[in-house]
Amino acid sequence: MKILVPTKRVPDTDQKIVASADGLRVETDHIPHVINPFDAIAVEEAVRISERLRDVEVVAVGIGGPEYEQPLRTALAMGAARGIIVQCAKPLDPWNVSRLLKAIVERETPDLVLMGKQAVDDDANQTGQFLAALLDWPQATFASRLEFIGNELRVDRETDHGIETLTLTLPALVTTDLRLNEPRYASMAGIMKARKKPLETIAAGELGVPLEPRVEVIRYRSGDTRRAGERLASLDEFAALIAQAAGIGG
Amino acid sequence: MRILVITEHDGTTLRPASLSCLGFAQQAARPSSGEVAWLVLGQGIADVAAAAAQYAPVIAIDAAGLEHELAESYARAIAEVVKSGRFDLVAAASSTFAKDIFPRAAALHGGAMASDVVRHEWADGRLLFDCPRFAGAVTATIALHGSPQFVTVRASAYPAAVPLSQAATVEPMELPPATFARRARYEGLRSKQTARPDVAEARVVVSGGRAFKSAEDFERYVGGLADVLGAATGSSRALVDAGIAPNELQVGQTGKIVAPDLYLALGISGAVQHLAGMKNSKKIAAVNSDPDAPIFEVADFGFVGDVYAVTPELIKRLEQNGAGATG
């Protein structure tokens, strides 16, 4: 079985993120970049499957410039067998990412595509579902548990109304939610091994996918910040303010 | 401009978020005297369709193949209706339902999609959308290229649509059986039954964080205070990860985005990912033992103290305050 794990390189969102003064971009140059945390969960899950079942190959994919080698090496150090960088100088919207990934899926013919449910930079939550539609594959988004049963995949999904369970026939696409697992830190041995693992680079142009921009950003602005209010010393006053805001009693 | 709003329902009633999405569609349609219709999908949906018709004309697809909300069949059904009805804009309220199904439908029409719209404007004949990014630290104003365009809308950002003086029509529609083909099978849904309101829809939310050490404590303190206020309960990610609170209560960047009249945070430190889910609440109140907790930077009123000591005192005072639970 082959599992393909598309990943995105994103600014570490534990850092303070602001729009540039002219509103034309987001100030991220000075911020360390990491594998999108949801994609790291997908890498971890794929590696765990490869440790549990026989003959499972995990292939990690990234789209971007040469700076992409480092996050992809991290995925290899976690246990992915090989990596593919689709070289593309400019940032792409989810539609074009999913179209490039479709071309990679057609080359690699994986049984399962496993990826994060959203990237924490644009928070779009679109790419996996786009890709599943383009492939006409079954999908299970927001997975919190995966289990292979014969040739099928049983997935628990986190929904607004509880945990939903679906069974998918393969090939299938699954997007990962937070509670699927806790990604490991790459061990020193893993990092050493990762240096020798194959990392293929493909120019986006070679994939025969003309880009079709769908999202044009007009401007960015930093989010509205709330101001800190009052710190109360009296519990009676605090309770009275709560009652007032909740619209109960006097 | 022709706008189609996808309803979300539980088989018998419309979810309130859908009415807010209809409110968005009506606002967006107004400058061009556009038309707004909604689409009700499912099996045995006559009641929902009739309820929806109180607000706008309805296209209803009642089919055995739509018994469960599965992305493959729902996305194809939506795409078919959008095509045959020549809709320019398709909208649904942001929820796990829409996040699962909507991008898949958008991809069948060329992938012009915006997620979590919180504001829109017309500029030079184009409809622009404000979408939060980086957990709300930045808002991007975007234009979509291509048509039709698909958007999910944050319900808390728009007022609910008001009923018409006279109910609109319900137009049943049939789709070819191939629309409902799928390779995913529905196995079931596990949820905690609760008499409390849904956290995404409640006027008041009492939310608990890391300070609570067990499910029993969470129920006793967070649940107890919620019941006095007639509120929903919510939770930070930490408690869901620890198995203390069920996942459907999680508020934050990757959980539910809420904007109630009052959000009361008990023992929640206020990580940026949590703030992303509740900072647009009208009033925020916080109790935390750490006076430097970031939650106090966004709280309208705060109290420094141990939630295990403070919460019972609050319950006592609010009970005395008169109202008690309103159900």
Short mmCIF file of all heavy atoms in Angstrom, two decimals, chain A residues 38 117 121 123-124 126 129 136-137 139 141 152 160-161 163 165 167 179 214 216 218-219 221 223 226 229-232 236 246, chain B residues 96 99-100 104 110 115 121 126 134-135 137 139 141 143 145 183 185 187-188 190-191 250 253-254 256 279 281 299-300 302 317:
data_model
loop_
_atom_site.label_atom_id
_atom_site.label_comp_id
_atom_site.label_asym_id
_atom_site.label_seq_id
_atom_site.Cartn_x
_atom_site.Cartn_y
_atom_site.Cartn_z
N PHE A 38 -1.47 20.33 11.16
CA PHE A 38 -2.41 19.28 10.76
C PHE A 38 -1.75 18.29 9.79
O PHE A 38 -2.08 17.10 9.79
CB PHE A 38 -3.66 19.88 10.12
CG PHE A 38 -4.53 20.60 11.11
CD1 PHE A 38 -4.48 21.97 11.24
CD2 PHE A 38 -5.39 19.89 11.93
CE1 PHE A 38 -5.26 22.63 12.16
CE2 PHE A 38 -6.19 20.55 12.85
CZ PHE A 38 -6.12 21.92 12.97
N LYS A 117 -6.52 18.90 7.70
CA LYS A 117 -7.84 19.41 7.31
C LYS A 117 -7.77 20.88 6.90
O LYS A 117 -8.59 21.34 6.14
CB LYS A 117 -8.84 19.23 8.45
CG LYS A 117 -8.64 20.16 9.65
CD LYS A 117 -9.86 20.15 10.57
CE LYS A 117 -9.67 21.11 11.73
NZ LYS A 117 -10.85 21.17 12.61
N ASP A 121 -2.26 28.91 8.03
CA ASP A 121 -2.03 30.27 7.53
C ASP A 121 -3.31 30.83 6.89
O ASP A 121 -3.86 31.81 7.34
CB ASP A 121 -0.82 30.36 6.58
CG ASP A 121 -0.85 29.34 5.44
OD1 ASP A 121 -1.81 28.55 5.37
OD2 ASP A 121 0.09 29.35 4.62
N ASP A 123 -6.20 29.11 6.67
CA ASP A 123 -7.37 28.54 7.35
C ASP A 123 -8.52 28.19 6.38
O ASP A 123 -9.68 28.25 6.75
CB ASP A 123 -7.92 29.50 8.43
CG ASP A 123 -7.09 29.49 9.71
OD1 ASP A 123 -6.47 28.45 10.00
OD2 ASP A 123 -7.06 30.51 10.42
N ALA A 124 -8.19 27.83 5.13
CA ALA A 124 -9.25 27.69 4.12
C ALA A 124 -10.05 26.40 4.26
O ALA A 124 -11.25 26.38 4.03
CB ALA A 124 -8.66 27.78 2.71
N GLN A 126 -10.00 23.69 2.34
CA GLN A 126 -10.56 23.40 1.01
C GLN A 126 -9.77 22.34 0.24
O GLN A 126 -10.37 21.56 -0.51
CB GLN A 126 -10.58 24.68 0.15
CG GLN A 126 -11.46 25.79 0.69
CD GLN A 126 -11.29 27.10 -0.08
OE1 GLN A 126 -10.49 27.19 -1.02
NE2 GLN A 126 -12.03 28.11 0.33
N GLN A 129 -10.69 18.49 0.11
CA GLN A 129 -11.99 18.24 -0.51
C GLN A 129 -11.94 18.52 -2.01
O GLN A 129 -12.55 17.79 -2.81
CB GLN A 129 -13.08 19.10 0.15
CG GLN A 129 -13.34 18.78 1.62
CD GLN A 129 -12.45 19.58 2.56
OE1 GLN A 129 -11.25 19.74 2.33
NE2 GLN A 129 -13.03 20.08 3.64
N ASP A 136 -12.45 12.20 -7.94
CA ASP A 136 -13.69 11.45 -7.76
C ASP A 136 -13.48 10.27 -6.81
O ASP A 136 -13.91 9.15 -7.06
CB ASP A 136 -14.27 11.00 -9.11
CG ASP A 136 -15.75 10.58 -8.97
OD1 ASP A 136 -16.40 11.04 -8.02
OD2 ASP A 136 -16.22 9.78 -9.80
N TRP A 137 -12.78 10.55 -5.70
CA TRP A 137 -12.54 9.56 -4.66
C TRP A 137 -13.47 9.84 -3.48
O TRP A 137 -13.85 10.99 -3.24
CB TRP A 137 -11.10 9.66 -4.14
CG TRP A 137 -10.06 9.09 -5.04
CD1 TRP A 137 -10.22 8.66 -6.34
CD2 TRP A 137 -8.68 8.91 -4.71
NE1 TRP A 137 -9.01 8.22 -6.81
CE2 TRP A 137 -8.06 8.36 -5.85
CE3 TRP A 137 -7.92 9.18 -3.56
CZ2 TRP A 137 -6.69 8.06 -5.86
CZ3 TRP A 137 -6.57 8.88 -3.57
CH2 TRP A 137 -5.96 8.32 -4.72
N GLN A 139 -14.24 10.62 0.39
CA GLN A 139 -13.48 11.44 1.33
C GLN A 139 -14.02 11.27 2.74
O GLN A 139 -15.21 10.98 2.93
CB GLN A 139 -13.55 12.92 0.94
CG GLN A 139 -14.89 13.58 1.26
CD GLN A 139 -14.96 15.04 0.80
OE1 GLN A 139 -14.55 15.37 -0.32
NE2 GLN A 139 -15.48 15.90 1.65
N THR A 141 -13.38 13.80 6.02
CA THR A 141 -12.67 14.96 6.55
C THR A 141 -12.68 14.92 8.08
O THR A 141 -13.52 14.26 8.68
CB THR A 141 -13.34 16.26 6.07
OG1 THR A 141 -14.75 16.16 6.34
CG2 THR A 141 -13.15 16.47 4.59
N GLU A 152 -11.00 -1.99 3.32
CA GLU A 152 -11.72 -0.74 3.55
C GLU A 152 -11.10 0.02 4.73
O GLU A 152 -10.36 -0.54 5.53
CB GLU A 152 -13.20 -1.04 3.84
CG GLU A 152 -13.91 -1.66 2.64
CD GLU A 152 -15.41 -1.79 2.88
OE1 GLU A 152 -15.81 -2.19 4.00
OE2 GLU A 152 -16.18 -1.51 1.96
N ASP A 160 -19.75 18.80 14.19
CA ASP A 160 -20.37 19.71 15.16
C ASP A 160 -21.33 18.99 16.09
O ASP A 160 -21.70 19.50 17.13
CB ASP A 160 -21.16 20.81 14.42
CG ASP A 160 -20.26 21.80 13.73
OD1 ASP A 160 -19.05 21.82 14.05
OD2 ASP A 160 -20.75 22.56 12.88
N HIS A 161 -21.78 17.81 15.67
CA HIS A 161 -22.82 17.14 16.44
C HIS A 161 -22.36 15.83 17.06
O HIS A 161 -23.17 15.06 17.55
CB HIS A 161 -24.06 16.93 15.55
CG HIS A 161 -24.44 18.19 14.85
ND1 HIS A 161 -24.94 19.28 15.54
CD2 HIS A 161 -24.30 18.60 13.57
CE1 HIS A 161 -25.12 20.28 14.70
NE2 HIS A 161 -24.73 19.89 13.50
N ILE A 163 -19.22 12.43 17.04
CA ILE A 163 -18.27 11.66 16.24
C ILE A 163 -19.06 10.82 15.23
O ILE A 163 -19.87 9.97 15.61
CB ILE A 163 -17.43 10.71 17.12
CG1 ILE A 163 -16.73 11.48 18.24
CG2 ILE A 163 -16.45 9.91 16.26
CD1 ILE A 163 -15.52 12.24 17.82
N THR A 165 -19.01 8.05 12.09
CA THR A 165 -18.15 7.00 11.55
C THR A 165 -18.54 6.70 10.11
O THR A 165 -19.72 6.53 9.80
CB THR A 165 -18.26 5.72 12.39
OG1 THR A 165 -17.96 6.06 13.75
CG2 THR A 165 -17.27 4.66 11.92
N THR A 167 -17.22 4.35 6.51
CA THR A 167 -16.31 3.36 5.93
C THR A 167 -16.10 3.72 4.47
O THR A 167 -17.06 3.95 3.74
CB THR A 167 -16.90 1.95 6.06
OG1 THR A 167 -17.13 1.68 7.44
CG2 THR A 167 -15.93 0.91 5.51
N ARG A 179 -7.10 15.51 17.07
CA ARG A 179 -6.98 14.44 18.05
C ARG A 179 -6.66 13.08 17.45
O ARG A 179 -6.75 12.06 18.11
CB ARG A 179 -8.27 14.39 18.90
CG ARG A 179 -8.20 15.38 20.03
CD ARG A 179 -9.51 15.55 20.72
NE ARG A 179 -10.44 16.32 19.94
CZ ARG A 179 -10.48 17.65 19.88
NH1 ARG A 179 -9.63 18.35 20.59
NH2 ARG A 179 -11.35 18.27 19.13
N ARG A 214 -7.62 31.63 -8.62
CA ARG A 214 -9.02 31.76 -8.21
C ARG A 214 -9.19 32.82 -7.11
O ARG A 214 -10.26 33.39 -6.97
CB ARG A 214 -9.52 30.42 -7.66
CG ARG A 214 -9.74 29.37 -8.73
CD ARG A 214 -10.95 29.71 -9.57
NE ARG A 214 -11.19 28.72 -10.61
CZ ARG A 214 -10.82 28.84 -11.87
NH1 ARG A 214 -10.18 29.93 -12.26
NH2 ARG A 214 -11.09 27.90 -12.76
N GLU A 216 -7.85 36.30 -5.47
CA GLU A 216 -7.03 37.51 -5.58
C GLU A 216 -7.16 38.27 -4.26
O GLU A 216 -8.27 38.67 -3.89
CB GLU A 216 -7.53 38.36 -6.74
CG GLU A 216 -6.82 39.69 -6.89
CD GLU A 216 -7.58 40.67 -7.81
OE1 GLU A 216 -8.52 40.23 -8.52
OE2 GLU A 216 -7.25 41.86 -7.79
N ILE A 218 -7.00 41.43 -2.23
CA ILE A 218 -7.00 42.88 -2.48
C ILE A 218 -6.16 43.57 -1.41
O ILE A 218 -5.36 44.44 -1.68
CB ILE A 218 -8.45 43.44 -2.42
CG1 ILE A 218 -9.39 42.59 -3.30
CG2 ILE A 218 -8.48 44.91 -2.78
CD1 ILE A 218 -9.20 42.72 -4.78
N ARG A 219 -6.38 43.18 -0.16
CA ARG A 219 -5.60 43.76 0.94
C ARG A 219 -5.69 42.88 2.17
O ARG A 219 -6.60 42.06 2.30
CB ARG A 219 -6.09 45.18 1.29
CG ARG A 219 -7.54 45.20 1.73
CD ARG A 219 -8.06 46.60 2.06
NE ARG A 219 -9.50 46.51 2.32
CZ ARG A 219 -10.44 46.63 1.39
NH1 ARG A 219 -10.10 46.90 0.15
NH2 ARG A 219 -11.71 46.50 1.71
N ARG A 221 -5.51 43.16 6.52
CA ARG A 221 -5.39 44.04 7.67
C ARG A 221 -5.29 43.18 8.93
O ARG A 221 -5.81 42.05 8.96
CB ARG A 221 -6.54 45.03 7.76
CG ARG A 221 -7.88 44.41 7.97
CD ARG A 221 -8.98 45.48 7.98
NE ARG A 221 -10.27 44.85 7.79
CZ ARG A 221 -10.93 44.18 8.73
NH1 ARG A 221 -10.42 44.08 9.94
NH2 ARG A 221 -12.08 43.59 8.48
N GLY A 223 -6.02 41.84 12.57
CA GLY A 223 -7.31 41.62 13.21
C GLY A 223 -7.63 42.70 14.24
O GLY A 223 -6.74 43.37 14.77
N ARG A 226 -9.22 43.49 20.86
CA ARG A 226 -10.11 43.93 21.94
C ARG A 226 -9.25 44.60 22.99
O ARG A 226 -8.10 44.24 23.17
CB ARG A 226 -10.77 42.72 22.58
CG ARG A 226 -12.03 42.26 21.92
CD ARG A 226 -12.57 41.09 22.70
NE ARG A 226 -13.67 41.50 23.55
CZ ARG A 226 -14.95 41.27 23.25
NH1 ARG A 226 -15.27 40.66 22.15
NH2 ARG A 226 -15.91 41.65 24.07
N GLY A 229 -10.65 44.90 29.71
CA GLY A 229 -11.62 45.66 30.49
C GLY A 229 -11.19 45.75 31.93
O GLY A 229 -10.02 45.90 32.25
N GLU A 230 -12.17 45.59 32.78
CA GLU A 230 -11.99 45.85 34.19
C GLU A 230 -11.65 44.57 34.94
O GLU A 230 -12.22 43.52 34.67
CB GLU A 230 -13.33 46.38 34.71
CG GLU A 230 -13.26 47.27 35.90
CD GLU A 230 -14.67 47.73 36.28
OE1 GLU A 230 -15.58 47.69 35.42
OE2 GLU A 230 -14.85 48.11 37.45
N ARG A 231 -10.74 44.64 35.88
CA ARG A 231 -10.44 43.54 36.79
C ARG A 231 -11.18 43.84 38.09
O ARG A 231 -10.98 44.88 38.69
CB ARG A 231 -8.92 43.51 37.04
CG ARG A 231 -8.36 42.17 37.37
CD ARG A 231 -8.30 41.25 36.15
NE ARG A 231 -7.32 41.61 35.13
CZ ARG A 231 -6.04 41.23 35.13
NH1 ARG A 231 -5.56 40.50 36.12
NH2 ARG A 231 -5.23 41.57 34.15
N LEU A 232 -12.08 42.95 38.50
CA LEU A 232 -12.89 43.28 39.66
C LEU A 232 -12.35 42.63 40.92
O LEU A 232 -11.87 41.50 40.89
CB LEU A 232 -14.34 42.82 39.43
CG LEU A 232 -14.96 43.69 38.32
CD1 LEU A 232 -15.80 42.87 37.40
CD2 LEU A 232 -15.72 44.85 38.92
N ASP A 236 -19.24 40.04 44.23
CA ASP A 236 -20.62 40.50 44.07
C ASP A 236 -20.75 41.34 42.81
O ASP A 236 -21.68 41.16 42.02
CB ASP A 236 -21.06 41.33 45.28
CG ASP A 236 -21.32 40.44 46.49
OD1 ASP A 236 -21.73 39.29 46.28
OD2 ASP A 236 -21.09 40.91 47.62
N ALA A 246 -25.81 38.54 30.74
CA ALA A 246 -26.58 37.36 30.37
C ALA A 246 -28.07 37.68 30.29
O ALA A 246 -28.86 36.85 29.85
CB ALA A 246 -26.34 36.24 31.37
N THR B 96 -19.21 22.07 10.25
CA THR B 96 -18.50 20.90 9.72
C THR B 96 -19.25 20.31 8.52
O THR B 96 -18.64 19.73 7.64
CB THR B 96 -18.28 19.82 10.79
OG1 THR B 96 -19.52 19.51 11.43
CG2 THR B 96 -17.27 20.27 11.83
N LYS B 99 -18.17 22.66 5.63
CA LYS B 99 -16.73 22.56 5.38
C LYS B 99 -16.39 21.25 4.68
O LYS B 99 -15.44 21.17 3.92
CB LYS B 99 -15.95 22.67 6.69
CG LYS B 99 -15.91 24.09 7.23
CD LYS B 99 -15.25 24.11 8.60
CE LYS B 99 -15.23 25.52 9.15
NZ LYS B 99 -14.76 25.53 10.55
N ASP B 100 -17.16 20.22 4.96
CA ASP B 100 -16.94 18.91 4.34
C ASP B 100 -17.43 18.91 2.90
O ASP B 100 -16.72 18.49 1.99
CB ASP B 100 -17.68 17.85 5.16
CG ASP B 100 -17.51 16.44 4.62
OD1 ASP B 100 -16.36 16.08 4.29
OD2 ASP B 100 -18.51 15.70 4.54
N ARG B 104 -16.07 20.46 -2.01
CA ARG B 104 -16.21 19.39 -2.99
C ARG B 104 -17.18 19.82 -4.10
O ARG B 104 -16.94 19.56 -5.28
CB ARG B 104 -16.69 18.11 -2.31
CG ARG B 104 -16.62 16.92 -3.22
CD ARG B 104 -16.62 15.60 -2.48
NE ARG B 104 -16.60 14.56 -3.48
CZ ARG B 104 -15.81 13.50 -3.49
NH1 ARG B 104 -14.97 13.31 -2.49
NH2 ARG B 104 -15.83 12.63 -4.46
N GLY B 110 -15.14 24.44 -10.73
CA GLY B 110 -13.96 25.25 -11.01
C GLY B 110 -13.24 25.85 -9.82
O GLY B 110 -12.25 26.56 -9.99
N SER B 115 -13.74 30.87 2.23
CA SER B 115 -14.17 30.22 3.47
C SER B 115 -14.38 31.24 4.58
O SER B 115 -13.60 32.18 4.72
CB SER B 115 -13.12 29.20 3.94
OG SER B 115 -12.99 28.15 3.01
N GLU B 121 -18.44 43.32 0.45
CA GLU B 121 -18.70 44.65 -0.11
C GLU B 121 -18.71 44.54 -1.64
O GLU B 121 -18.07 43.64 -2.20
CB GLU B 121 -17.60 45.64 0.32
CG GLU B 121 -16.23 45.31 -0.23
CD GLU B 121 -15.13 46.21 0.33
OE1 GLU B 121 -15.03 47.35 -0.11
OE2 GLU B 121 -14.37 45.73 1.19
N ARG B 126 -17.64 44.16 -8.50
CA ARG B 126 -17.21 42.85 -7.99
C ARG B 126 -17.60 42.72 -6.53
O ARG B 126 -17.57 43.68 -5.76
CB ARG B 126 -15.68 42.72 -8.08
CG ARG B 126 -15.17 42.58 -9.49
CD ARG B 126 -13.81 41.93 -9.52
NE ARG B 126 -12.78 42.72 -8.82
CZ ARG B 126 -11.52 42.32 -8.72
NH1 ARG B 126 -11.14 41.16 -9.22
NH2 ARG B 126 -10.65 43.08 -8.09
N PHE B 134 -4.87 33.09 9.63
CA PHE B 134 -3.97 33.00 10.80
C PHE B 134 -4.78 33.10 12.09
O PHE B 134 -4.50 33.93 12.95
CB PHE B 134 -2.91 34.11 10.75
CG PHE B 134 -1.94 33.97 9.62
CD1 PHE B 134 -2.12 34.66 8.44
CD2 PHE B 134 -0.85 33.12 9.73
CE1 PHE B 134 -1.22 34.53 7.39
CE2 PHE B 134 0.04 32.98 8.68
CZ PHE B 134 -0.13 33.70 7.51
N ALA B 135 -5.81 32.27 12.20
CA ALA B 135 -6.65 32.24 13.40
C ALA B 135 -7.23 33.62 13.72
O ALA B 135 -7.42 33.97 14.88
CB ALA B 135 -5.87 31.69 14.59
N ALA B 137 -5.81 36.53 13.22
CA ALA B 137 -4.81 37.58 13.44
C ALA B 137 -4.82 38.56 12.27
O ALA B 137 -4.50 39.74 12.42
CB ALA B 137 -3.43 36.97 13.63
N THR B 139 -7.07 39.65 8.57
CA THR B 139 -8.24 39.46 7.71
C THR B 139 -7.85 39.81 6.29
O THR B 139 -7.26 40.86 6.04
CB THR B 139 -9.40 40.35 8.17
OG1 THR B 139 -9.73 40.01 9.51
CG2 THR B 139 -10.63 40.15 7.29
N THR B 141 -9.08 40.65 2.46
CA THR B 141 -10.19 41.00 1.59
C THR B 141 -9.86 40.42 0.23
O THR B 141 -8.83 40.74 -0.35
CB THR B 141 -10.35 42.53 1.49
OG1 THR B 141 -10.59 43.03 2.80
CG2 THR B 141 -11.53 42.90 0.58
N ALA B 143 -11.07 38.84 -3.81
CA ALA B 143 -12.01 38.70 -4.93
C ALA B 143 -11.80 37.30 -5.48
O ALA B 143 -10.67 36.81 -5.52
CB ALA B 143 -11.71 39.74 -5.99
N HIS B 145 -12.01 34.68 -8.67
CA HIS B 145 -12.04 34.65 -10.13
C HIS B 145 -12.76 33.40 -10.57
O HIS B 145 -12.45 32.32 -10.10
CB HIS B 145 -10.61 34.66 -10.68
CG HIS B 145 -9.90 35.95 -10.43
ND1 HIS B 145 -8.98 36.48 -11.29
CD2 HIS B 145 -9.99 36.83 -9.41
CE1 HIS B 145 -8.52 37.63 -10.82
NE2 HIS B 145 -9.12 37.85 -9.67
N ARG B 183 -18.80 5.98 -2.57
CA ARG B 183 -18.00 4.88 -2.06
C ARG B 183 -17.65 5.07 -0.59
O ARG B 183 -16.71 4.52 -0.08
CB ARG B 183 -16.76 4.70 -2.93
CG ARG B 183 -17.06 3.90 -4.20
CD ARG B 183 -16.09 4.24 -5.27
NE ARG B 183 -16.22 5.65 -5.60
CZ ARG B 183 -15.31 6.36 -6.21
NH1 ARG B 183 -14.17 5.82 -6.55
NH2 ARG B 183 -15.51 7.64 -6.48
N ARG B 185 -19.53 4.86 3.19
CA ARG B 185 -20.72 4.30 3.82
C ARG B 185 -20.86 4.91 5.21
O ARG B 185 -19.89 5.00 5.95
CB ARG B 185 -20.51 2.79 3.93
CG ARG B 185 -21.76 1.96 3.88
CD ARG B 185 -21.44 0.49 3.60
NE ARG B 185 -20.55 -0.13 4.57
CZ ARG B 185 -19.38 -0.69 4.26
NH1 ARG B 185 -18.95 -0.69 3.02
NH2 ARG B 185 -18.64 -1.24 5.19
N GLU B 187 -21.83 4.89 8.98
CA GLU B 187 -21.94 3.84 10.01
C GLU B 187 -22.67 4.31 11.26
O GLU B 187 -23.18 3.50 12.01
CB GLU B 187 -20.54 3.34 10.41
CG GLU B 187 -19.68 2.84 9.26
CD GLU B 187 -20.06 1.45 8.77
OE1 GLU B 187 -21.01 0.86 9.31
OE2 GLU B 187 -19.40 0.96 7.83
N GLY B 188 -22.65 5.61 11.51
CA GLY B 188 -23.36 6.08 12.71
C GLY B 188 -22.76 7.35 13.27
O GLY B 188 -21.73 7.84 12.80
N ARG B 190 -22.03 9.25 17.13
CA ARG B 190 -22.07 9.17 18.60
C ARG B 190 -22.00 10.59 19.14
O ARG B 190 -21.08 11.34 18.85
CB ARG B 190 -20.85 8.40 19.14
CG ARG B 190 -20.76 6.97 18.63
CD ARG B 190 -19.73 6.18 19.43
NE ARG B 190 -18.39 6.74 19.41
CZ ARG B 190 -17.54 6.63 18.40
NH1 ARG B 190 -17.89 6.00 17.30
NH2 ARG B 190 -16.33 7.14 18.48
N SER B 191 -23.02 10.94 19.91
CA SER B 191 -22.95 12.28 20.51
C SER B 191 -23.47 12.22 21.92
O SER B 191 -24.25 11.35 22.28
CB SER B 191 -23.77 13.26 19.67
OG SER B 191 -25.13 12.89 19.69
N GLN B 250 -15.72 22.00 21.68
CA GLN B 250 -14.49 22.78 21.55
C GLN B 250 -14.69 24.09 20.80
O GLN B 250 -15.20 24.12 19.68
CB GLN B 250 -13.41 21.97 20.84
CG GLN B 250 -12.08 22.71 20.82
CD GLN B 250 -11.01 21.96 20.04
OE1 GLN B 250 -10.95 20.73 20.07
NE2 GLN B 250 -10.17 22.70 19.33
N GLN B 253 -9.97 28.07 16.93
CA GLN B 253 -9.62 28.13 15.51
C GLN B 253 -10.07 26.88 14.77
O GLN B 253 -10.56 26.94 13.66
CB GLN B 253 -8.10 28.29 15.37
CG GLN B 253 -7.61 28.34 13.93
CD GLN B 253 -6.10 28.31 13.84
OE1 GLN B 253 -5.43 27.91 14.78
NE2 GLN B 253 -5.56 28.76 12.73
N THR B 254 -9.87 25.72 15.39
CA THR B 254 -10.20 24.47 14.70
C THR B 254 -11.45 23.83 15.27
O THR B 254 -11.83 22.75 14.87
CB THR B 254 -9.05 23.48 14.80
OG1 THR B 254 -8.90 23.12 16.17
CG2 THR B 254 -7.77 24.07 14.29
N LYS B 256 -15.35 25.25 17.18
CA LYS B 256 -16.45 26.12 16.77
C LYS B 256 -16.08 27.59 16.99
O LYS B 256 -15.38 27.93 17.92
CB LYS B 256 -17.70 25.77 17.57
CG LYS B 256 -18.21 24.39 17.16
CD LYS B 256 -19.51 24.03 17.83
CE LYS B 256 -19.89 22.62 17.37
NZ LYS B 256 -21.06 22.10 18.04
N LYS B 279 -13.50 35.63 20.28
CA LYS B 279 -13.18 37.02 20.58
C LYS B 279 -14.19 38.00 20.02
O LYS B 279 -14.16 39.18 20.37
CB LYS B 279 -11.76 37.36 20.11
CG LYS B 279 -11.57 37.38 18.64
CD LYS B 279 -10.12 37.71 18.30
CE LYS B 279 -9.93 37.64 16.80
NZ LYS B 279 -8.52 37.70 16.42
N SER B 281 -17.33 37.74 20.66
CA SER B 281 -18.46 37.74 21.58
C SER B 281 -18.74 39.18 22.02
O SER B 281 -17.82 39.99 22.13
CB SER B 281 -18.15 36.89 22.81
OG SER B 281 -17.78 35.58 22.42
N ALA B 299 -10.87 40.26 28.00
CA ALA B 299 -12.09 40.17 28.80
C ALA B 299 -12.62 41.55 29.15
O ALA B 299 -11.85 42.45 29.49
CB ALA B 299 -11.82 39.37 30.07
N ASP B 300 -13.94 41.73 29.06
CA ASP B 300 -14.54 42.99 29.48
C ASP B 300 -14.54 43.10 30.99
O ASP B 300 -14.39 44.17 31.54
CB ASP B 300 -15.98 43.06 28.95
CG ASP B 300 -16.03 43.07 27.45
OD1 ASP B 300 -15.71 44.12 26.87
OD2 ASP B 300 -16.35 42.03 26.85
N GLY B 302 -13.04 40.76 34.50
CA GLY B 302 -12.32 39.56 34.93
C GLY B 302 -12.25 39.48 36.44
O GLY B 302 -12.44 40.47 37.15
N ARG B 317 -24.61 33.32 43.93
CA ARG B 317 -25.05 34.71 43.75
C ARG B 317 -26.02 34.85 42.57
O ARG B 317 -26.96 35.63 42.61
CB ARG B 317 -23.83 35.61 43.54
CG ARG B 317 -23.12 35.93 44.84
CD ARG B 317 -21.78 36.57 44.57
NE ARG B 317 -21.15 37.03 45.80
CZ ARG B 317 -20.55 36.23 46.67
NH1 ARG B 317 -20.53 34.92 46.47
NH2 ARG B 317 -19.99 36.73 47.75
#
